[in-house]
Structure formats: C-alpha cells, structure tokens
C-alpha cells in the first residue's frame, strides 16, 4: 500500500471516530386501539407491498403525507413506504418495480395507474459521507443516498407531522418527533434547526406554506421566523422543481389560503415577480383571489381545474401592462399584445419552467380574449368550437367582474353561450352593426385621405 493511501485511510479512520455517536430517541408507539388508521382506508396495493416486505423479514411502514392525511381524516393522494430493504432488494421482491432517481434512489412498484413509492430508510447527510452517496452544494442537499435505520429516517424528514410511521407488523403508529402531538394541536413544526433545514432544501419554505394552507395549520414560531428572511433561497431551486410545487398549490383545494400565505411571507414575489409587480394595480388582488376561490370550489365539488387557466390569470395583468407599453411605443394593438404574451411568458420561465404544451395553452387562452370582440357572421360560432373556448370564456367573465370595462361584451357572450336559440338573432344584429361601422370607417378614411391626413393602422379596436 502506498504512503498516500495509508495516510488517506488514517484520515478516514479519524473522521469516522470524530462522528458523534447517535443519541437514541425513544419513539412513542401509538397502538392500533389508540389511533384512527384502519386498513380499510389504505390502498390495497400499498398493503400488498407492506405485507410482502414484512414477510421477507424487512421492516415496512407507511410514512409521510399518507399517514398524516389518514390521521386527519383526509384521503391521501398517494401511499409512500419506508423499509429496511435496500433498493436492489426491493427490486428483487417485486417484478413490477423499477428503480428511479439520482438525488434519492427509490423503487416504484407499478400497479396499473397506481404507483407505490418504496424508499430505504435514509440517514441525515453528513460531511464525511461518500461523495457518491451524498453531496451538498452551498449547504443544499443535491444527493442524499446514505442509508440508515428508522430513527435516522424519522429525524431527517422535514416536518414532525410528516414523520409518522404506520407499522404493518402490529398496525401501530411510531412517532420519533412528537408529530402526533403537533397534529392534535394543528401545529406545523420543522424537525431540527429550521434555518439549517431551509438551507438544505429551500423548497421546504414552500412546503411549510402549502401544508399550513391546505391543512389549516399554525406554523410554530421557530419554524415561521426564518421564512421571510430566507425567501430569497428559492432562487437557488431549479425552475422545473418550482413549477411542480406551484402545481401542487393549485391542485389541493386550498389555493386561495396558500396565495395569501405566500404573500404574507414574501414568497409569491419569488415565484411570480411580474404578477407581484402588477398586484399594485387596482383590483388585481381581487382578480386573482376570485379565480383561486372558484378553483378551490370546483375541486370541492369534485370538478377538474385547469392549471393553464390559473397561470393565464396570474399572467394576464402583466401581459396587459406590457401590451399598453408596446402600443405606446407605436406597435399596432394585435402585434403589441402578441409580443407581450411572449415577453411575459419568457420572463416567467426564468422562475418556473412551464412546459411547452402548457405555455401554448396559456398563449391561446390570452389570445382568444381578442377574438371575443369579433362577433359578426360565423366568427362567434368558430370561437365557440375552439378547444380553449371554455377557459378563455372564464377569463373574459373574470375580467368583466374585476374592473375591466367589458361588461356589455361579457353579457353578450354569457347570453350567446347559454342560450342556443338566441344565437342566430344575436349574430344578425351584431353583423348589421358591423356592416354599418365598416362603411362609416370607410367613409372616414376616404375623407381623411382627401384631407391628406396620416393613415391610421387598420387593426380593429380591441377591448384589452
Ligand atoms: N420530505 C422531506 N423533505 C422534502 C420533501 C419530502 O422530508 N423536501 C419527506 C416528508 O416526510 C414527506 C415525504 O418525504 O412527508 C413525502 O414527500 P412528498 O410526497 O413530496 O409530500 P407529502 O408529505 O407526501 O405531502 P403531499 O402528499 O401532500 O404532497
């Protein structure tokens, strides 16, 4: 062995020695008779996975959001499992599994549309871990694959309420972090030093807000205190990950409460800087609040929501602002508007990577706002059959309700959309007016030409 190798070995040895010995925490075990989680409310596929791991002599627990939601009486959106089995061992037990992830190596067990995520117990990141398994950049975890036991796994999680384990061996709930108490007191508390934990993964700032909004929790003072101060950390998170987090805000039925919290903690400006800027405009707050309130209501009624519509709402006022500026700079209205959509979407991309397909939908929803002003001949029928009509129509009504001077136009469309029998007559009347206007415009132009005045652009007037 070379001297260098020997030297490296010695350093490694001393580093290991220096690592503090683990303090063992006595978990609180809540027996089946003292909690509300019944196997009837657990996905049969998750139960199958738990039992197979258990029968193969691995420990296996439901963990995270599903245990939290079950205890609060909500239907979990998915079921995650933590186990002592290594990813390769899980892979061997389940033919229908695949290993995924670099940052976190996980097994996905696939049952048709349902995927059960199985993760091996992991420990906290520590500096002397192998670079291949764990990596920190500027205090932020970029790879985290150091395995440990259930206690390690419990204490490395973000919030205490997310660190409860449902044990398939005896159906008890295992609690290392007093999560059950916090759940009872509706309190959101970070495990460990909140400031350090936010630095490790700044997305936790958004997760705190999301859980507080969705589950009506009070953020504990020490967990709350750094949020405002550290909001800038979101700039270090990839725009693709931020987009996924924002989608969760929309999809959980508490987007209005979450929006208000994002404002309170100055996090919204990090996600939607252009929209934040437009919030100073009269009624923009109300405009966004109304859209989010309606989206939450739809989810409560088991209806779907359209994230593209909500993004269009967020970006609408910045687009209109930019468009006015472009018009002032001499661009014709349509060109100015089209250009502004592109500019605002481009700026938004720097913060959130909105996928191309959704960008296209947002573009269409916004552009259709111009088309609503053309109501003669076959135009309104064509608009009605446009795949994005409904979302664009909803935006039109929202604009009318929140201070834009388009009430007459919106009422016309409400009538046209809802009363099939009135359509023909409505279009006839508008078409006559259109012919009238056109000839008046022609005459005006002819007169102006005669008077040698400057020709105006021929773009139709818009209501934007
Ligand atoms: N987790 C964490 N830190 C993160 C992300 C996740 O500690 N930055 C842990 C938490 O224990 C969390 C679990 O991983 O409960 C699963 O994360 P995820 O599925 O993203 O969220 P859930 O907590 O399950 O919440 P929801 O299902 O509402 O998204």
């Amino acid at each position: 062995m070379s001297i260098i190798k020997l030297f490296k070995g010695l350093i490694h040895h001393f580093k290991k020695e220096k690592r503090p010995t683990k303090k063992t925490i006595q978990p609180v075990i809540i027996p089946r008779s003292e909690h509300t989680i019944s196997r009837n409310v657990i996905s049969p596929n998750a139960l199958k996975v738990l039992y197979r791991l258990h029968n193969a002599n691995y420990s296996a627990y439901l963990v995270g959001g599903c245990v939290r939601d079950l205890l609060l009486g909500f239907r979990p959106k998915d079921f995650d499992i933590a186990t002592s089995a290594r990813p390769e061992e899980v892979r061997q037990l389940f033919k229908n599994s695949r290993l995924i992830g670099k940052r976190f190596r996980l097994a996905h067990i696939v049952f048709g549309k349902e995927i059960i995520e199985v993760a091996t117990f992991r420990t906290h990141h520590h500096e002397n871990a192998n670079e291949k398994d764990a990596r920190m950049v500027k205090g932020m975890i970029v790879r985290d694959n150091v395995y440990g036991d259930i206690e390690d796994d419990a204490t490395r999680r973000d919030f205490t309420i997310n660190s409860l384990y449902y044990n398939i061996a005896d159906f008890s709930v295992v609690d290392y972090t007093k999560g059950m108490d916090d759940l009872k007191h509706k309190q959101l508390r970070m495990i460990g030093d909140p400031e350090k934990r936010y630095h490790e993964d700044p997305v936790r700032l958004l997760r705190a807000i999301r859980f507080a909004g969705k589950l009506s929790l009070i953020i504990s003072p020490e967990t709350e205190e750094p949020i405002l101060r550290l909001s800038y950390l979101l700039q270090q998170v990839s725009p693709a990950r931020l987009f996924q987090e924002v989608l969760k805000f929309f999809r959980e039925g508490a987007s209005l409460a979450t929006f208000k919290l994002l404002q309170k903690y100055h996090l919204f400006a990090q996600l939607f800087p252009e929209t934040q800027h437009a919030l100073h405009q009269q009624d923009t707050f109300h405009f966004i609040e109304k859209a989010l309130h309606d989206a939450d209501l739809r989810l409560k009624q088991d209806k779907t929501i359209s994230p593209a519509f909500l993004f269009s709402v967020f970006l609408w006022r910045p687009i209109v602002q930019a468009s006015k500026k472009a018009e002032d700079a001499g661009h014709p209205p349509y060109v100015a508007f089209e250009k502004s959509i592109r500019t605002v979407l481009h700026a938004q991309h720097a913060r959130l990577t909105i996928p191309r397909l959704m960008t296209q939908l947002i573009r269409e929803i916004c552009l259709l706002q111009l088309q609503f002003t053309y109501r003669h001949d076959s135009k309104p029928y064509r608009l009605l059959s446009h795949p994005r009509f409904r979302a664009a129509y909803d935006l039109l009504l929202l604009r009318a309700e929140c201070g834009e001077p388009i009430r007459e136009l919106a009422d016309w469309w409400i009538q046209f959309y809802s009363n099939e029998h009135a359509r023909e007559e409505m279009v006839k009347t508008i078409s006559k007016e259109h012919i009238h206007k056109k000839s008046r415009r022609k005459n005006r132009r002819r007169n102006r030409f005669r008077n040698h005045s400057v020709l105006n652009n021929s773009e139709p007037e818009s209501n934007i």
Side-chain angles (χ1 to χ4, degrees), residues 253-257 259-260 285-301 305 309-310 398:
S255 60
L256 179 55
F259 171 64
K260 288 180 180 169
F285 229 94
H286 178 51
F287 180 67
I288 291 178
E289 282 185 346
K290 172 99 185 54
L292 297 177
H293 171 269
D294 292 350
D296 291 345
L297 200 68
R298 283 184 67 80
L299 286 175
K300 277 194 192 93
Q301 295 165 344
I305 57 128
F309 169 74
L310 292 173
L398 188 67

Side-chain angles (χ1 to χ4, degrees), residues 64-65 68 77 157-158 162 201 204 207 210 214 252:
R68 176 198 71 214
K77 71 173 175 16
R157 286 179 186 269
D158 51 3
N162 286 344
D201 182 3
R204 288 180 180 140
R207 286 173 65 82
R210 181 157 68 85
K214 164 179 151 179
E252 293 187 337

Side-chain angles (χ1 to χ4, degrees), residues 206 209-214 246 248-250 253-269 271-273 275-280 283-293 296 310 313-315:
L206 295 180
I209 301 307
R210 181 157 68 85
F211 296 132
K214 164 179 151 179
V246 169
K248 289 182 192 170
F249 290 147
F250 292 156
S255 60
L256 179 55
T258 310
F259 171 64
K260 288 180 180 169
L261 288 171
L262 288 173
Q263 283 296 329
K264 179 176 171 188
Y265 294 104
H266 298 186
L267 292 164
F268 188 78
L271 301 170
F272 294 95
T275 311
Q276 181 69 34
H277 194 65
L279 282 180
H280 301 302
D283 244 3
T284 304
F285 229 94
H286 178 51
F287 180 67
I288 291 178
E289 282 185 346
K290 172 99 185 54
L292 297 177
H293 171 269
D296 291 345
L310 292 173
V313 170
F314 278 17
L315 301 179

Side-chain angles (χ1 to χ4, degrees), residues 424-460:
E424 212 181 305
E425 207 46 47
M426 288 173 78
V427 174
K428 250 190 215 163
T429 316
I430 286 280
S431 300
K432 266 188 218 156
E433 281 173 22
H434 179 72
I435 293 171
H436 238 77
K437 267 189 201 163
K438 227 171 138 183
S439 61
R440 258 186 294 159
R441 217 179 293 151
K442 234 184 196 169
N443 287 342
R444 243 185 286 140
R445 239 184 258 152
R446 205 177 297 142
N447 291 341
R448 243 187 267 151
F449 184 68
R450 279 202 200 115
N451 296 338
H452 304 285
S453 63
V454 185
L455 273 175
N456 235 335
N457 71 69
S458 58
E459 286 294 329

Side-chain angles (χ1 to χ4, degrees), residues 60 104 108 113 119 121 133 137 186 202 206 227 229 233 243 255 264 279 384 443:
F104 298 125
H108 272 179
K113 274 189 184 164
F121 295 138
D133 301 326
V137 173
K186 300 221 93 185
L206 295 180
I227 300 181
R229 239 178 340 105
L233 287 179
F243 172 75
S255 60
K264 179 176 171 188
L279 282 180
L384 200 60
N443 287 342

